[in-house]
Amino acid sequence: MIKVYRKTATINAEQFDCSDDMFNHYGLIDRGGHIVDGLHVDDMCFIPTLEGQMKINIHDWIATGVNGEHWAIADDVFKQTYAELPMIPKDVACLIKQDKEWDYNLGMVFDDAYSGHIWEIGVGEWIIENSESFARAWLDGYVLEEEK
């Protein structure tokens, strides 16, 4: 019987723009040599991977694994496979860390938020107003908002 699975790992990725900066940063190989205004404009670009050279096109994504290896992911595949992690305030991140250490579950946190039992002013309101983002952050991870 076939089962359905979802990916649970996070990756770092950036969209390839053919710039010299990206060529230099990722050690890309340009076999065409056509550069216009600092952009590599042909379609003969390759990224070195653990399995050898992999062709990369403009707007593909360059993913970086945990041990620093890079690989290309086509834009349409990337958009179907990955979603950006939610951005949350520092106080909300502190609450997630604390409540997980105390073995809370997601339902308990939502109950506290709706009951007004959250320790920091504004955090419960943020959780209620951003419940889907909070749930994603709890389950999958998050990025901290920059402080104002």
Side-chain angles (χ1 to χ4, degrees):
M1 174 199 247
I2 295 177
K3 297 181 180 181
V4 178
Y5 294 87
R6 67 179 172 83
K7 290 187 176 192
T8 58
T10 57
I11 63 165
N12 291 324
E14 68 178 315
Q15 197 165 26
F16 179 53
D17 64 6
C18 288
S19 68
D20 278 341
D21 288 342
M22 290 189 88
F23 264 79
N24 295 331
H25 179 76
Y26 293 106
L28 301 181
I29 301 156
D30 183 350
R31 294 219 179 119
H34 298 94
I35 301 174
V36 177
D37 295 329
L39 298 178
H40 298 253
V41 295
D42 58 28
D43 60 355
M44 295 297 291
C45 303
F46 295 84
I47 186 168
T49 71
L50 295 176
E51 290 80 31
Q53 295 178 2
M54 180 179 199
K55 188 171 189 279
I56 184 166
N57 299 304
I58 190 166
H59 304 302
D60 284 353
W61 291 80
I62 299 175
T64 303
V66 292
N67 60 355
E69 83 276 12
H70 305 292
W71 66 95
I73 304 171
D75 186 46
D76 59 336
V77 172
F78 184 86
K79 288 176 179 173
Q80 291 174 13
T81 307
Y82 297 97
E84 199 169 336
L85 291 178
M87 191 169 293
I88 66 172
K90 183 179 178 180
D91 288 344
V92 175
C94 288
L95 177 113
I96 289 174
K97 184 175 187 243
Q98 172 189 295
D99 284 358
K100 285 188 173 194
E101 287 174 359
W102 292 352
D103 291 326
Y104 273 43
N105 63 44
L106 190 53
M108 294 164 75
V109 178
F110 279 124
D111 184 53
D112 281 354
Y114 281 96
S115 301
H117 294 113
I118 300 291
W119 54 272
E120 182 73 33
I121 297 173
V123 172
E125 290 83 4
W126 190 95
I127 292 169
I128 293 166
E129 293 170 6
N130 301 277
S131 59
E132 289 186 19
S133 293
F134 180 78
R136 283 274 65 107
W138 181 276
L139 295 169
D140 298 333
Y142 52 84
V143 177
L144 286 179
E145 284 182 356
E146 291 186 23
E147 294 194 27
K148 299 172 185 166

